[in-house]
Amino acid sequence: QVQLVESGGGLVQAGGSLRLSCAASGSIFSINAMGWYRQAPGKQRELVARITKGGTTNYATSVKGRFTISRDNAKNTMYLQMNSLQPEDTAVYYCLLNYISDPYAPDDDYNYWGQGTQVTVSS
């Protein structure tokens, strides 16, 4: 079993900042990558930012220069520092974990979603 605990969402005014956290625990041998996705009402879920085990990052164009993703490998925790937030950033933010559970089956990787945390940016 895997658990993902997300925190840090909330209500903030435009121009403000929030920091999201996603802590992974359970039957995890190794984490390949973690990512943040978001889904606004009436829209599809979209990638916000992703970070690999080696630290390679990629961002949605809309958040580049404003959001920073990071990881603490020792704690199996991922962070998303969100600055200069805008009303269009309002969404439920989900953590996605891609991991290996069996060290003898390294090609068998799995995805696991967090429960989501609401981010609301007021104008």
Side-chain angles (χ1 to χ4, degrees), residues 20-95:
L20 304 183
S21 299
C22 175
S25 62
S27 302
I28 300 169
F29 169 70
S30 177
I31 295 177
N32 291 330
M34 298 181 78
W36 288 101
Y37 289 71
R38 67 186 180 187
Q39 187 166 19
K43 295 188 176 182
Q44 289 188 333
R45 191 173 297 188
E46 62 176 2
L47 172 69
V48 176
R50 183 176 179 269
I51 185 166
T52 68
K53 182 179 181 179
T56 299
T57 60
N58 60 289
Y59 296 90
T61 301
S62 61
V63 307
K64 280 183 182 178
R66 299 189 298 125
F67 292 9
T68 302
I69 191 170
S70 61
R71 255 175 76 172
D72 184 333
N73 290 334
K75 296 181 179 179
N76 281 350
T77 300
M78 173 181 64
Y79 306 95
L80 185 68
Q81 178 65 43
M82 305 186 293
N83 298 329
S84 302
L85 282 161
Q86 300 301 317
E88 52 266 34
D89 295 315
T90 295
V92 178
Y93 284 69
Y94 296 91
C95 171

